Amino acid sequence: NADSAMYEAKHNGRNNYSFFSADMAQQSALRVAIERSLRSAVGTDELTLHFQPKLDLSSGALLGAEALLRWNSPTLGIMAPDTFIPVAEESGLIVPLGTWVLEQALAQIKAWHASGMGWLQVSVNVSAGQFWKQDLPELVANRLRASSVPAAMLDLELTERVAMVNPQEGVLICQRLKRLGVSLSMDDFGTGYSSLSYLSRLPMDVLKIDQSFVQRLGDDQHDAQIVRSVVQLAHSLNLRTVAEGVETTEQHRFLQTLGCDQGQGYLFARPLPASAFAQWWQEHLARSLLQPFS
Ligand code: C2E
Ligand code: MG
Ligand code: MG
Ligand code: MG
């Protein structure tokens, strides 16, 4: 039950990355505990952003990074985003939390630039509450102005489900975001239920192919066909494609032959704390001068 789960988590939490399953988080006692702890965590160093590189699959060039939220709670242990983001959504905490993520991401873009590493585009995940329970274009405009980061350095990742809550209004919000000059990515593509005609009406720049398709590449012909047609569809709509969850060189080569533009995954790097990311970036640059990317 939730009480003993809490007890266990308290004592083993730090070594137990996914002790809390999404199912357990549905239990109300645990939800309440997560919500309470999360509320006091916003704005403290319990929460940090990690960054995972996005690479050009043919040249190996670094094209950007995705910001992924990490939470190390002193009472609950290390919590996975798939566990606490849904709680943040239901409690409305996602709005202040999401604003904090946006501010941190912009501050990091600026800090890397200031340290002489150049501009790097950072992708920030946006969930339904952030998109629908506030004026997101207004918030983004405001934070871009305050940070003086060029709008093109910010990419917002939305899932199909987010925009589909209200398709007509979703298109309008995306259009307002695009007018600010930010980039928009469709995250987890293939897991939702949006129609192709709807996708063509959304002003997206990038389509991210869900990792479930990528993981089955190689042993499933059917999935290769799906990826191939998604890439073709995306290109016909002038979208670039990013494969998520690339773990093996075999998947990498497969994706290249299927025409996929970019990739992200453990094969290249795990999500890293900002300082480790900067280190990885330097080493990646040095490596790419020495040897071609396969
Ligand atoms: P997502 O946006 O689809 O992020 C991709 C997930 O795949 C991340 O999980 C990442 O760590 C993981 N991943 C990357 N490469 C590989 C790989 O090669 N293999 C495997 N198996 N996994 C890989 P993570 O960090 O646990 O995040 C899970 C989800 O939580 C994200 O899915 C996103 O929907 C949500 N999330 C994370 N950070 C934020 C945030 O700041 N705000 C919001 N609203 N949602 C967030
Ligand atoms: Mg994402
Ligand atoms: Mg994704
Ligand atoms: Mg996901």
Side-chain angles (χ1 to χ4, degrees):
N1 67 26
D3 275 351
S4 61
M6 283 282 297
Y7 177 84
E8 285 252 346
K10 204 164 178 163
H11 292 265
N12 305 323
R14 276 170 202 279
N15 314 319
N16 236 335
Y17 182 74
S18 32
F19 179 81
F20 290 110
S21 66
D23 277 355
M24 290 169 72
Q26 299 300 320
Q27 296 173 20
S28 64
L30 192 51
R31 280 197 96 87
V32 171
I34 292 174
E35 186 187 329
R36 193 194 309 120
S37 304
L38 189 56
R39 195 175 293 278
S40 63
V42 180
T44 73
D45 61 6
E46 286 178 37
L47 289 161
T48 51
L49 290 184
H50 281 196
F51 297 87
Q52 187 180 37
K54 265 185 215 181
L55 305 186
D56 182 300
L57 285 178
S58 335
S59 71
L62 175 65
L63 300 173
E66 178 173 7
L68 293 156
L69 193 54
R70 296 291 177 261
W71 181 25
N72 188 353
S73 159
T75 48
L76 301 169
I78 294 173
M79 301 285 284
D82 285 333
T83 306
F84 69 83
I85 295 286
V87 178
E89 273 284 321
E90 285 193 17
S91 61
L93 262 176
I94 193 68
V95 173
L97 183 58
T99 301
W100 181 85
V101 169
L102 177 64
E103 290 170 351
Q104 290 296 303
L106 290 169
Q108 192 57 65
I109 297 171
K110 210 175 162 179
W112 280 327
H113 182 256
S115 74
M117 300 178 69
W119 290 114
L120 187 74
Q121 188 184 63
V122 170
S123 301
V124 168
N125 290 286
V126 170
S127 46
Q130 296 169 264
F131 193 84
W132 294 108
K133 291 188 181 149
Q134 65 181 335
D135 189 334
L136 183 65
E138 174 75 32
L139 175 78
V140 171
N142 181 293
R143 292 310 191 272
L144 279 171
R145 220 178 296 122
S147 68
S148 62
V149 165
M153 293 304 116
L154 180 67
D155 174 66
L156 300 175
E157 296 193 358
L158 313 170
T159 62
E160 298 167 71
R161 283 180 195 84
V162 168
M164 282 296 279
V165 169
N166 178 341
Q168 275 192 329
E169 186 66 20
V171 170
L172 295 176
I173 296 174
C174 288
Q175 285 169 344
R176 287 179 57 213
L177 287 166
K178 277 310 299 171
R179 274 195 297 260
L180 299 175
V182 303
S183 158
L184 294 182
S185 295
M186 177 64 80
D187 203 354
D188 301 347
F189 188 76
T191 62
Y193 44 80
S194 59
S195 68
L196 298 184
S197 80
Y198 183 58
L199 179 68
S200 71
R201 285 168 51 216
L202 286 171
M204 292 281 151
D205 300 280
V206 172
L207 194 154
K208 298 190 78 176
I209 301 167
D210 191 68
Q211 54 187 54
S212 55
F213 299 104
V214 176
Q215 262 143 30
R216 292 189 301 256
L217 276 180
D219 41 58
D220 192 329
Q221 270 299 104
H222 183 65
D223 281 293
Q225 278 312 323
I226 292 178
V227 171
R228 192 193 302 278
S229 14
V230 167
V231 169
Q232 280 164 358
L233 163 81
H235 287 168
S236 74
L237 295 173
N238 268 318
L239 305 176
R240 275 164 290 124
T241 48
V242 179
E244 305 189 289
V246 185
E247 293 184 351
T248 67
T249 49
E250 194 196 9
Q251 288 163 352
H252 178 190
R253 272 197 295 272
F254 226 119
L255 287 160
Q256 269 186 293
T257 63
L258 296 174
C260 186
D261 308 292
Q262 306 176 18
Q264 221 183 311
Y266 297 167
L267 176 65
F268 311 118
R270 293 196 170 243
L272 299 165
S275 56
F277 182 91
Q279 177 81 29
W280 179 92
W281 188 350
Q282 304 280 11
E283 288 164 8
H284 181 74
L285 284 174
R287 260 196 315 272
S288 54
L289 292 173
L290 293 172
Q291 57 191 217
F293 191 65
S294 60

